[in-house]
Amino acid sequence: MADLDRAREALRASMTAWAILEIRGDQAHVRSAPDLDELAVHLERVDPNWSLTWGCDSVSPCVVRARLSVLGTVREGLATAPSLADAKLAALGEAARLYGVAPATEGHWVEYDPEDGPNTADLESDPRPESAARPAQLSPEPPRDPQMEKARQHIEDLIEQLKVVGKNKEAARILMRGYGETVEESRAIYKELSAILKG
């Protein structure tokens, strides 16, 4: 558990970027997320074999999946954002949250300029509350279940078919809740996706 505390500290130290979750006129909703360069530096010290992989479930809207593996523990975050870059940051932020690194708030609304981006200067100067520095309890990694792995692969194959026929938006709405925590849930999601494909 001490190793995972080191992983959380590394993730917490890299939470210096801001992901845009939504834009409304001259306002943007932003949430803190790990900066990729800083993340690499900090995680390298904790686990030289750490890895980060991405999956794009939809490009309109941008739905991205980030799979982060540190010290043998894997967490996957899923996020939607106005741009692919922001969706990647937000998904990585969700993965960090699943490691127990919760942001101080659910996000902030800030001034937004299409050329300059969001004005996060005031947010960056705010010290984080002491409570945000305490690690949240890490949920135990579920045991690897061959049936779950198989179910996940079937869902991913079906997602590819849906992308080919241009129905990835409908699929993305269903996948916002993930692939299911049990084989039964995964089967239900697979049935919903199959229904979209049969249309």
Side-chain angles (χ1 to χ4, degrees):
M1 203 59 170
D3 282 345
L4 283 176
D5 286 341
R6 289 175 56 222
R8 285 190 202 99
E9 286 305 316
L11 285 163
R12 195 171 291 112
S14 68
M15 296 285 277
T16 59
W18 294 96
I20 299 174
L21 304 179
E22 185 182 353
I23 298 170
R24 289 188 195 160
D26 63 351
Q27 297 284 305
H29 185 215
V30 297
R31 184 184 295 157
S32 62
D35 177 89
L36 287 172
D37 293 333
E38 288 192 32
L39 181 69
V41 169
H42 290 293
L43 285 183
E44 192 68 31
R45 294 180 193 140
V46 176
D47 178 9
N49 298 316
W50 74 278
S51 67
L52 173 61
T53 55
W54 306 99
C56 181
D57 289 356
S58 170
V59 289
S60 181
C62 295
V63 180
V64 171
R65 188 176 303 278
R67 185 178 174 92
L68 181 62
S69 174
V70 185
L71 298 167
T73 301
V74 179
R75 294 292 182 260
E76 195 171 89
L78 181 72
T80 303
S83 73
L84 196 54
D86 284 303
K88 284 173 74 173
L89 276 178
L92 183 55
E94 284 302 306
R97 182 189 298 239
L98 292 174
Y99 272 96
V101 181
T105 67
E106 283 301 304
H108 303 274
W109 282 96
V110 296
E111 292 177 3
Y112 175 77
D113 181 278
E115 290 180 16
D116 298 331
N119 180 5
T120 58
D122 292 340
L123 302 178
E124 290 160 3
S125 63
D126 286 349
R128 290 187 174 236
E130 188 59 38
S131 61
R134 286 191 215 115
Q137 186 63 36
L138 180 66
S139 57
E141 184 177 8
R144 294 212 179 274
D145 180 348
Q147 282 190 307
M148 281 300 291
E149 296 294 326
K150 202 172 187 179
R152 178 182 214 73
Q153 188 57 52
H154 286 309
I155 290 172
E156 287 175 358
D157 292 344
L158 192 53
I159 291 167
E160 288 305 313
Q161 293 175 42
L162 288 163
K163 285 180 186 175
V164 169
V165 296
K167 295 187 175 180
N168 51 339
K169 279 187 188 178
E170 295 95 324
R173 286 190 198 103
I174 292 169
L175 294 170
M176 287 305 288
R177 61 182 187 261
Y179 286 17
E181 297 297 319
T182 64
V183 174
E184 290 74 25
E185 287 177 17
S186 293
R187 284 184 185 142
I189 290 167
Y190 184 86
K191 284 179 185 173
E192 287 183 65
L193 293 171
S194 294
I196 293 171
L197 187 61
K198 290 170 186 169

